[in-house]
Amino acid sequence: EYDGERNSEGERHGRGKARLPNGDTYDGEYENGLRSGQGTYRFKNGAFYIGGYLQNKKHGHGTFFYPDGSKYEGYWVNDLRHGYGKYTYPNGDTYTGEWFNHNRHGQGTYIYNDTRSKYVGAWVDGKQEGHAELIHLNHRFQGKFLNGNPVGRGKYVFDIGCEQHGEYIQAVQDKAEEEEEEEPSLPVVPKWKASETTKLTLWTPHGENPPSPKEPSQV
């Protein structure tokens, strides 16, 4: 069922409205019979998408409202979340950063709504992995993460002006596969083994030592 413009071949072309056999509806732009350009697609389950299309697939910038109340606003490629975008989860958590093939991947910031804690750093295939900071109300952890958990050497920095160095001893943990809707990340508490407490020192995200200060040249 279609109401809109067509080209000389009779294909949907230009602006139009369509009701699909499964009950979904689309109101937007077409090109040579395919959804291309800007449009609004409403699913019969209550979800809807407003944004760009290319050859029937979500492409470019767009916002998707999921049935569970979550929302993704950002870039799409070939129907997948890809590029830079923000996902707001049903519990109020948010992720803002890079996406690759539908997963959180690259650099991004995840904010936990209930505690206001914040993970700032690297992601791989939807999981917290690589160098990052986990920032809490009055202290932060700086180190490396693997499969969503802190691992290996790192340090806690406290607002009172000191830091505690040590390492995380990791327990193996399995996680079920994610469904289409993003699952919120849950903070975990692996075992922390402290080694020493010192005054504040400079932290670099990739574990590199900062260059030594150069002596001022004599005039």
Side-chain angles (χ1 to χ4, degrees), residues 26 29 31 34-41 49-64 72-84 101-102:
Y26 174 74
E29 297 174 315
E31 197 173 299
L34 301 174
R35 295 187 295 274
S36 283
Q38 294 296 307
T40 299
Y41 191 105
Y49 170 80
I50 303 172
Y53 274 94
L54 181 66
Q55 296 184 337
N56 270 0
K57 295 184 176 179
K58 294 183 286 291
H59 194 93
H61 191 273
T63 303
F64 199 113
Y72 172 78
E73 181 178 4
Y75 286 89
W76 301 77
V77 174
N78 200 27
D79 252 357
L80 301 174
R81 296 185 290 266
H82 192 99
Y84 189 87
N101 282 347
H102 230 42

Side-chain angles (χ1 to χ4, degrees), residues 57-106:
K57 295 184 176 179
K58 294 183 286 291
H59 194 93
H61 191 273
T63 303
F64 199 113
F65 297 84
Y66 294 91
D68 65 356
S70 60
K71 178 179 82 168
Y72 172 78
E73 181 178 4
Y75 286 89
W76 301 77
V77 174
N78 200 27
D79 252 357
L80 301 174
R81 296 185 290 266
H82 192 99
Y84 189 87
K86 177 180 180 179
Y87 200 110
T88 303
Y89 297 86
N91 64 0
D93 290 1
T94 61
Y95 169 82
T96 306
E98 296 174 298
W99 296 78
F100 183 82
N101 282 347
H102 230 42
N103 285 321
R104 300 176 297 241
H105 189 95

